[in-house]
Amino acid sequence: MKKSFVYIGLAALFFSCSGSEESSGNPGPPVTPGESGNVVGTANVWVTNGEQTKLLSKQSSGASIYDTNATTDPSISVDFSQQYQEIEGFGAALTGSSAIVINGMNATQKDALLKDLFSTTEGIGLSYLRLTIGASDFSSANFSYDDMPAGTTDASLANFSIAPDETDVVPVLQSILGYAPNIKIMGSPWSAPAWMKTSQSMNGGSLKPEWYDAYGNYFVKYINAYAAHGITIDAITPQNEPLHEINTYPTMKMTAIEQADFIKNSLGPKFQAAGLTTKIIAYDHNFDRTDYPLSILGDAQAAQYVDGSAFHAYAGDASAMNVVHAAFPNKNLYFTEVSGGGWSTNFAENLKWSIGNIFIGTTRNWSKNVLLWNLALNSNSGPTNGGCMDCRGVVTVTTNGSVTKNVEYYALAHFSKFVKPGAKRVNSTNFDNSLGLQNVAFVNADGSKVLVVLNTSQTARKFAVKIDDKKIVYSLEPQAVATIVWQ
């Protein structure tokens, strides 16, 4: 592993988000020495820095808003009239291991953690989760929802049951829904049941064509079984990392041709016949193989059932998503996995890499979401099931239930807390490369504006953001990220 909303008027746009700056007796918005123009408002700013002295810390002075866009500072322009993809959410994977860890906390600890992760008023408002359909390398053991004795099959899926998920995954999800009732959920399988595969094992092998229809029905049953628990599966991918096959944990090889055949001949028609609106999202693997999603999207019979394609970040870079968007602009793009871990422990470097390459990189390249890998793991980076032994969760939960918020938590929070589902990414220009500044901008459905700026350099950077005939001015410390919010 490696590391459109209409512009609604300037007067409303540039009032302070908090309103408190304008109250009687308050000294008012800060004035930046040497800046031209008059201060007419203040944007709220939250900062996390590499030194960890600021961790999603709201800055008391905010960022000044001026009544002119004239500036001698390095600057970008943001145009809220140019709107791009709609954001569906930010989050991580509630793997079996994550559910075990969270469900093992006492009721008070669990409630506090879920409130912090999912509440939009008291937490960071995570809005998207990925589930494993059956076991992965982060489960208690290997299992599918239709395991059979060796040498036997179950064509009618009479033995189908999501019972393995009902101990931890389902109860945790139901608790999460109390804080985030509209959360998006995506399911991804690591393997079909062993009896459907060439290997007769969950670890490696391929799906036999004679079981395509049965496997299509397997997905339908999965979605309906979760619905019976009040849990809506918004999207699925036919296979996690279909080009990765290994015999030490659940995997299944599925070529682009095989995936297209499965979608157009079985999965898509089965969903249609069952009246399901669950999205089918192709590929779900690394940036470096755009030929795979391009092949499926180029197959008209398969593409009619496909909402878009999903990517991981263990090879290649986020610009690959733009390649697919350029070829198929009417199909959606999703970012579904990357993990931090013991191979990279420097907070500042991880913060810069994650914000720059993943959160800014994927959203500027058309991704509708950003999902990290394990939501929570224990102090031993587990429980594990034969795969990564030193992956890092968004949070770490110790045996006594105490929680450590890892760098991934703060990277997520700078987006999930402020960029809400239904937001649109808007046009923002780039800073000169020599400055080490990166950015991405959004407008929420309620009209609030969000700009995330990353300073990768070793020097504080003062910059201006031009918005029509106004500007926002801010100075961002070295190796830090700021989320700037205003109305």
Side-chain angles (χ1 to χ4, degrees):
M1 291 182 182
K2 330 193 289 194
K3 22 170 213 195
S4 270
F5 216 91
V6 178
Y7 191 64
I8 59 172
L10 293 172
L13 177 61
F14 291 107
F15 284 143
S16 165
C17 289
S18 65
S20 62
E21 301 285 3
E22 307 300 329
S23 61
S24 176
N26 191 290
V31 177
T32 304
E35 273 306 324
S36 60
N38 299 307
V39 175
V40 294
T42 305
N44 289 324
V45 182
W46 285 260
V47 172
T48 297
N49 61 21
E51 295 178 343
Q52 302 180 66
T53 56
K54 295 178 182 177
L55 295 170
L56 198 65
S57 301
K58 187 176 182 182
Q59 303 305 289
S60 59
S61 58
S64 300
I65 302 171
Y66 290 81
D67 62 358
T68 176
N69 65 13
T71 183
T72 57
D73 296 318
S75 66
I76 57 169
S77 296
V78 180
D79 183 354
F80 289 96
S81 70
Q82 292 190 51
Q83 301 184 357
Y84 305 120
Q85 79 274 22
E86 182 175 315
I87 298 301
E88 293 192 3
F90 299 91
L94 182 69
T95 59
S97 296
S98 294
I100 290 167
V101 167
I102 293 170
N103 217 28
M105 305 171 81
N106 68 42
T108 301
Q109 293 167 333
K110 179 167 69 173
D111 185 64
L113 175 60
L114 296 183
K115 181 185 296 183
D116 183 57
L117 290 172
F118 296 98
S119 171
T120 57
T121 55
E122 300 176 77
I124 63 172
L126 297 185
S127 49
Y128 208 126
L129 286 173
R130 184 170 178 236
L131 306 181
T132 70
I133 299 176
S136 73
D137 50 328
F138 281 90
S139 301
S140 57
N142 275 11
F143 66 88
S144 76
Y145 302 131
D146 197 336
D147 292 326
M148 298 295 293
T152 63
T153 62
D154 182 20
S156 67
L157 303 181
N159 192 48
F160 183 94
S161 172
I162 63 164
D165 289 352
E166 291 174 334
T167 302
D168 296 301
V169 176
V170 168
V172 171
L173 272 174
Q174 290 172 330
S175 296
I176 289 169
L177 288 172
Y179 290 109
N182 298 315
I183 196 164
K184 297 279 191 188
I185 299 172
M186 174 187 292
S188 301
W190 267 237
S191 173
W195 56 268
M196 294 186 184
K197 299 173 66 180
T198 56
S199 61
Q200 296 293 290
S201 167
M202 290 193 68
N203 299 356
S206 300
L207 180 65
K208 290 182 175 181
E210 59 262 37
W211 296 119
Y212 279 12
D213 282 349
Y215 198 39
N217 288 328
Y218 182 93
F219 280 88
V220 172
K221 283 181 171 287
Y222 164 75
I223 292 162
N224 287 335
Y226 265 81
H229 287 288
I231 299 164
T232 299
I233 304 299
D234 181 72
I236 60 91
T237 65
Q239 176 60 36
N240 170 72
E241 299 188 346
L243 298 176
H244 176 60
E245 182 185 7
I246 196 169
N247 62 7
T248 55
Y249 64 88
T251 56
M252 187 169 78
K253 181 81 173 288
M254 183 179 274
T255 67
I257 292 173
E258 289 169 338
Q259 187 163 114
D261 285 345
F262 175 55
I263 291 170
K264 68 187 178 186
N265 295 317
S266 297
L267 186 62
K270 295 291 185 185
F271 276 24
Q272 194 171 67
L276 296 179
T277 59
T278 305
K279 302 181 186 77
I280 297 173
I281 299 172
Y283 189 45
D284 204 15
H285 208 167
N286 291 330
F287 291 135
D288 62 336
R289 289 293 302 272
T290 56
D291 59 303
Y292 194 117
L294 290 173
S295 173
I296 293 173
L297 296 176
D299 182 326
Q301 289 180 291
Q304 66 179 317
Y305 299 111
V306 174
D307 174 82
S309 49
F311 291 84
H312 297 183
Y314 304 118
D317 64 76
S319 62
M321 300 180 83
N322 188 55
V323 172
V324 178
H325 172 79
F328 297 96
N330 294 324
K331 294 297 185 181
N332 294 314
L333 291 160
Y334 301 85
F335 180 80
T336 49
E337 188 183 318
V338 72
S339 183
W343 59 88
S344 179
T345 58
N346 183 289
F347 186 97
E349 293 303 315
N350 286 328
L351 179 70
K352 291 187 294 183
W353 189 88
S354 187
I355 293 289
N357 290 282
I358 304 304
F359 287 89
I360 293 176
T362 64
T363 55
R364 285 191 76 105
N365 283 282
W366 301 96
S367 188
K368 292 171 69 69
N369 70 348
V370 179
L371 304 180
L372 304 183
W373 189 208
N374 291 277
L375 180 64
L377 292 174
N378 64 25
S379 301
N380 295 317
S381 302
T384 57
N385 182 37
C388 178
M389 301 302 292
D390 60 350
C391 282
R392 183 171 54 238
V394 172
V395 297
T396 300
V397 180
T398 65
T399 52
N400 66 10
S402 63
V403 174
T404 299
K405 298 173 181 177
N406 297 320
V407 62
E408 290 78 13
Y409 171 95
Y410 295 103
L412 267 171
H414 271 276
F415 285 77
S416 63
K417 187 173 178 66
F418 309 104
V419 183
K420 303 301 184 182
K424 297 283 186 67
R425 179 174 66 91
V426 301
N427 182 266
S428 61
T429 58
N430 289 307
F431 291 100
D432 185 278
N433 287 338
S434 65
L435 298 171
L437 294 174
Q438 300 176 46
N439 80 91
V440 66
F442 306 88
V443 59
N444 284 309
D446 65 1
S448 59
K449 315 299 190 290
V450 182
L451 175 70
V452 181
V453 180
L454 171 68
N455 182 4
T456 65
S457 76
Q458 303 294 323
T459 305
R461 299 293 192 195
K462 183 186 173 193
F463 59 87
V465 181
K466 298 180 180 182
I467 305 143
D468 286 351
D469 60 352
K470 302 290 193 297
K471 67 181 175 185
I472 296 175
V473 176
Y474 193 70
S475 182
L476 182 57
E477 59 202 88
Q479 302 190 90
V481 57
T483 300
I484 303 171
V485 183
W486 70 102
Q487 286 288 342

